[in-house]
């Protein structure tokens, strides 16, 4: 095996994916070449450093966005819904549909100021009817909301995420058609403490 | 883990949103990190990540199982990142290797670094996209060169060549910074 070939394979010796004859050839070269061993040590250090790097991914916020858009997409492009618990409003019994509408109107009545302005990211109206079972629930199993909140339209994802972490809450559902999110308390947080933090945040337009 | 991912893809193909959520939770961080490493823009990377999982939702039924689910999803992320870079007009489509990657680092950046991670981050940033992607997949994702070839849609020999040059440039950049006392 040529010197270049060994050097090509060295990174894969560093990440532990080399096997068989290639691994044996690289091991043999390493046994004879101190410079190559030094290079391998540097590559391992680079790998360790890269793996230790933290990236602030969108997390639950991104998941909420994904679920919202998947739910809104529907139509022919979406996969068949063999195991879907979504119940379109049109298929509900009349009383169920009425209850869903009453709930949506109730939220709108309780927080009328939000109806006049769009939330951070409006979605289809059917997302406002949690009784239908539509949307998603978090893995943590939180099913009931402790707060209903509206963020200011110019709030960034980073600001919202920082606030939620600070208050010890997570998004249970939302955004609704009028931009409302429902939040659930995490185990370690208290309702009073979270309420105080949320109420005093600049990016919060209202919280109940 | 791979079998779990395959199960989730099968469920997603049947329209199971909870399976999509589970797959998202499992792979969101590494896929996002890979996209950020290519675009260097967290906001745009978040959008691309979203697009990737939307495509997973739409295309799960067409996944043939010939590769790992992770490899398939990283391939989607790879292509969508390329599309984003093309839109920005930032794409270098040649496979040519620059003579020197460490061409005059920002002194202020270097002085502020002070840590090994910063050196690695800086030097990775000097690599062209193809090289950086190959190194990122090899070192952050611990992929084989065959898997990297699948993700990038190129022959294995091309991946080895990219890795070879990327490694050389990375070493040169790191040693250059150490020699200049940028610790």
């Amino acid at each position: 095996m040529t010197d270049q070939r060994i050097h090509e394979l060295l990174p894969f010796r560093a990440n532990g994916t080399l096997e068989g004859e290639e691994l044996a050839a690289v091991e043999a070269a390493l046994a004879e070449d101190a410079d190559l061993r030094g290079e391998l040590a540097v590559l391992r250090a680079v790998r360790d450093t890269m793996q230790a790097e933290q990236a602030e991914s969108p997390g639950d916020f991104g998941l909420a966005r994904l679920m919202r858009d998947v739910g809104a997409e529907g139509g022919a492009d979406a996969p068949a819904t063999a195991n879907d618990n979504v119940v379109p409003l049109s298929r509900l019994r009349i009383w169920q549909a009425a209850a869903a509408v009453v709930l949506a109107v109730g939220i709108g009545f309780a927080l009328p100021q939000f109806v006049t302005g769009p939330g951070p990211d409006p979605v289809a109206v059917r997302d406002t009817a949690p009784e239908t079972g539509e949307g998603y629930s978090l893995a943590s199993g939180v099913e009931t909301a402790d707060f209903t909140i509206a963020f200011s339209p110019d709030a960034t994802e980073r600001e919202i995420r920082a606030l939620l972490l600070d208050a010890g809450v997570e998004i249970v559902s939302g955004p609704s058609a009028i931009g409302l999110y429902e939040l659930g308390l995490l185990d370690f947080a208290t309702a009073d403490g979270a309420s105080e933090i949320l109420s005093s945040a600049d990016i919060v337009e209202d919280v109940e | 883990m791979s079998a779990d991912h395959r199960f989730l893809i099968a469920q997603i193909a049947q329209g199971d949103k909870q399976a999509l959520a589970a797959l998202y939770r499992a792979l969101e961080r590494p896929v996002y990190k890979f996209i950020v490493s290519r675009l260097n823009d967290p906001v745009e990377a978040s959008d691309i990540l979203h697009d990737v999982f939307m495509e997973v939702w739409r295309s799960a039924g067409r996944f043939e199982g010939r590769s790992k689910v992770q490899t398939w999803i990283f391939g989607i992320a790879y292509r969508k990142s390329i599309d984003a870079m093309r839109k920005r007009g930032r794409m270098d489509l040649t496979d040519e290797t620059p003579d020197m990657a460490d061409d005059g680092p920002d002194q202020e950046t270097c002085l502020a670094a002070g840590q090994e991670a910063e050196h690695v981050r800086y030097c990775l940033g000097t690599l062209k996209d193809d090289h950086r992607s190959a190194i990122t997949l090899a070192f952050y994702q611990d992929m084989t060169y065959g898997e990297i070839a699948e993700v990038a849609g190129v022959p294995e020999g091309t991946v080895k060549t990219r890795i070879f040059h990327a490694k050389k440039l990375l070493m040169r950049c790191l040693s250059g910074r150490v020699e200049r006392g940028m610790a």
Side-chain angles (χ1 to χ4, degrees):
Chain A
M1 192 173 282
T2 65
D3 189 48
Q4 171 155 345
R5 184 99 173 89
I6 294 294
H7 277 274
E8 285 174 354
L9 294 175
L10 201 58
F12 299 100
R13 174 67 182 80
N15 76 3
T17 61
L18 220 49
E19 295 177 331
E21 291 179 7
E22 290 180 329
L23 177 60
V26 172
E27 289 294 346
L30 284 167
E32 294 176 1
D33 188 338
D35 288 343
L36 204 60
R37 290 197 293 277
E39 194 172 320
L40 177 62
V42 173
L43 289 174
R44 280 176 169 156
V46 169
R47 173 182 168 274
D48 291 347
T49 302
M50 288 176 70
Q51 295 212 345
E53 282 271 294
Q54 297 293 322
E56 281 191 52
S57 60
D60 281 345
F61 194 86
L63 180 57
R65 180 186 177 194
L66 179 68
M67 291 296 109
R68 179 203 65 190
D69 285 1
V70 162
E73 190 166 72
D77 287 342
T81 54
N83 189 26
D84 203 339
N85 63 355
V86 174
V87 183
L89 204 56
S90 59
R91 284 193 216 158
L92 294 175
R93 287 169 178 271
I94 289 176
W95 67 267
Q96 288 174 311
V101 170
V102 166
L103 178 87
V105 170
I107 291 174
F109 182 75
L111 300 164
Q113 63 269 43
F114 303 137
V115 179
T116 56
D121 216 347
V123 292
V125 170
R126 62 200 183 101
D127 281 353
T128 62
E131 282 77 358
T132 63
E134 188 169 4
Y136 79 102
S137 59
L138 295 176
S140 58
V142 176
E143 291 177 352
T144 56
D146 296 293
F147 302 100
T148 301
I149 193 168
F151 297 105
S152 63
D154 57 350
T156 66
E157 182 269 340
R158 185 186 297 270
E159 290 171 334
I160 292 172
R161 179 154 30 105
L163 176 63
L164 298 183
L165 290 171
D166 190 30
V169 294
E170 63 183 357
I171 295 173
V172 178
S173 67
S176 71
I178 54 176
L180 299 177
Y181 292 82
E182 292 192 323
L183 307 180
L185 277 172
L186 296 174
D187 291 342
F188 61 85
T190 64
D192 288 345
S195 177
E196 190 177 336
I197 293 171
L198 293 171
S199 301
S200 60
D202 293 338
I203 60 168
V204 172
E205 289 198 338
D206 210 332
V207 59
E208 290 208 346
Chain B
M1 185 60 76
S2 187
D4 291 345
H5 291 167
R6 282 174 189 271
F7 173 76
L8 290 175
I9 286 290
Q11 292 297 108
I12 293 167
Q14 298 299 310
D16 186 342
K17 293 177 186 172
Q18 294 302 327
L20 179 66
L23 190 67
Y24 177 92
R25 288 192 188 96
L27 296 177
E28 174 240 2
R29 277 178 184 272
V31 174
Y32 175 78
K33 191 165 177 178
F34 173 60
I35 298 168
V36 164
S37 78
R38 304 195 73 197
L39 299 178
N40 199 28
D41 180 340
V43 175
E44 189 174 17
S46 297
D47 289 341
I48 301 289
L49 178 75
H50 177 74
D51 291 348
V52 168
F53 279 93
M54 285 301 292
E55 185 160 331
V56 168
W57 170 250
R58 294 172 186 136
S59 308
R62 294 196 289 274
F63 177 69
E64 296 175 351
R66 286 183 297 187
S67 60
K68 285 183 184 174
V69 170
Q70 181 176 316
T71 310
W72 178 60
I73 292 177
F74 271 84
I76 296 172
Y78 187 90
R79 291 190 297 278
K80 289 195 177 293
S81 301
I82 287 178
D83 290 344
M85 285 187 278
R86 280 182 176 143
K87 281 178 188 168
R88 288 190 200 167
R90 205 181 70 183
M91 189 67 198
D92 180 2
L93 292 171
T94 70
D95 230 6
E96 293 170 7
T97 306
D99 290 335
M100 187 67 182
D102 189 17
D103 52 347
D106 176 356
Q107 191 69 16
E108 199 173 322
T109 303
C110 296
L111 289 173
Q115 289 184 348
E116 206 170 84
E118 187 65 30
H119 292 316
V120 172
R121 199 179 305 126
Y122 173 82
C123 290
L124 279 172
T126 65
L127 301 179
K128 62 197 282 285
D129 178 66
D130 289 340
H131 293 165
R132 189 170 57 250
S133 291
I135 285 285
T136 301
L137 292 170
F139 282 173
Y140 182 59
Q141 292 303 315
D142 283 345
M143 286 188 180
T144 67
Y145 55 75
E147 288 169 341
I148 297 172
E150 269 187 59
V151 168
V154 297
E156 290 183 357
T158 303
V159 169
K160 289 176 187 169
T161 304
R162 286 177 183 176
I163 287 278
F164 174 76
H165 289 301
K167 175 173 67 74
K168 202 161 70 175
L169 293 165
L170 203 54
M171 292 290 192
R172 193 183 297 170
C173 175
L174 288 169
S175 66
R177 287 170 70 83
V178 170
E179 282 171 14
R180 285 194 295 272
M182 293 166 180

